[in-house]
Amino acid sequence: MPSGSSATLVRRATALAYAVAAAGTIVGAATHRPVVQTVCKPLLMPILAVRSGAHRSPLLAAGLSAATLGDVAMIDPDDDRRFTAGASSFAVMQGCWSVLLHRNGSRARPHHALLRAAGWAGGAVLATRRAPTIAPISMAYGVALGAMSLLGADGDTRAVVGSTLFTVSDGMVLVRRTTADARLRDVLEVAVLATYIGAQYALVDSLTGTASGFPTRDRAAGVCARRRRRNP
């Protein structure tokens, strides 16, 4: 295990590297320079893998690998085949995040489930009417996203923020695919990337306790203890 000082150095260095890769990804999208995105976007998840010590967790490594494949595919989100490949990869990632959230002590709560079910139904109607070619994969992916978001809502602050941002980001992906306004599509693409990048950073830090330095199992035990105190 790295010492406290070296772990802090890794966190700071990876935070800076992630910010640089994120800026390049967003600027590349905003200026219609796919080459810049092609260089910067695939670096995001490997940086988080280093930050989180993913080599110690096969499930985390699998999720970040799937996300990297999804990032590469979604550099061109208007191609239906690439969109399908990206959504499939991200569905695998969402499954990994759901399992890790559950291990950390998150549980599905009925009052959280109702809102997400309504959101899924609205997205399904929109996709079916306005983007039928991607409707099946969108609805299937929505189930995986909903499960992760449902568990994330019961996690720590970073899990709540990350899962919420992910839901907002993917909602904007669908809206972007169903609008014909070119300017709005450009604005939405930048917003999608910004919220996605923030979501992944918050979620991976939450899943691994990277920012706090707490191992995952210790975090889960702490969550359970706090719940017992609130609900004796």
Side-chain angles (χ1 to χ4, degrees):
M1 294 293 288
S3 64
S5 58
S6 62
T8 299
L9 181 61
V10 169
R11 289 196 294 272
R12 290 176 178 173
T14 51
L16 177 59
Y18 192 78
V20 171
T25 300
I26 293 170
V27 169
T31 58
H32 298 282
R33 294 177 181 172
V35 173
V36 177
Q37 277 205 78
T38 300
V39 171
C40 294
K41 197 176 184 185
L43 296 176
L44 292 166
M45 297 306 107
I47 291 169
L48 289 186
V50 174
R51 177 177 173 79
S52 60
H55 61 283
R56 297 191 296 269
S57 170
L59 195 60
L60 180 64
L64 289 170
S65 298
T68 300
L69 294 176
D71 284 345
V72 172
M74 294 293 280
I75 288 174
D76 182 5
D78 296 321
D79 182 295
D80 283 355
R81 288 180 297 179
R82 293 178 70 94
F83 184 93
T84 298
S88 300
S89 297
F90 283 123
V92 172
M93 179 214 71
Q94 299 291 12
C96 293
W97 289 179
S98 292
V99 173
L100 288 169
L101 283 164
H102 190 271
R103 287 182 181 177
N104 278 11
S106 294
R107 297 294 181 265
R109 308 294 173 185
H111 57 289
H112 293 149
L114 291 174
L115 180 60
R116 283 152 183 82
W120 180 90
V125 171
L126 179 63
T128 301
R129 292 183 176 178
R130 302 290 297 276
T133 59
I134 63 167
I137 187 63
S138 295
M139 288 187 284
Y141 171 75
V143 173
L145 170 66
M148 185 282 293
S149 178
L150 181 59
L151 291 168
D154 193 51
D156 65 11
T157 300
R158 290 167 297 175
V160 173
V161 170
S163 60
T164 301
L165 283 175
F166 228 124
T167 303
V168 171
S169 182
D170 286 338
M172 288 191 293
V173 168
L174 187 57
V175 172
R176 183 187 176 280
R177 283 297 305 254
T178 58
T179 182
D181 187 320
R183 182 173 296 181
L184 178 58
R185 287 166 66 86
D186 287 346
V187 171
L188 286 172
E189 178 65 7
V190 171
V192 164
L193 288 170
T195 49
Y196 164 75
I197 288 167
Q200 290 284 42
Y201 190 87
L203 275 169
V204 172
D205 267 10
S206 172
L207 292 172
T208 60
T210 302
S212 65
F214 284 28
T216 299
R217 290 183 180 178
D218 290 349
R219 277 195 64 255
V223 169
C224 292
R226 288 194 296 274
R227 286 179 182 155
R228 285 196 295 270
R229 287 196 295 270
R230 289 199 301 265
N231 303 292

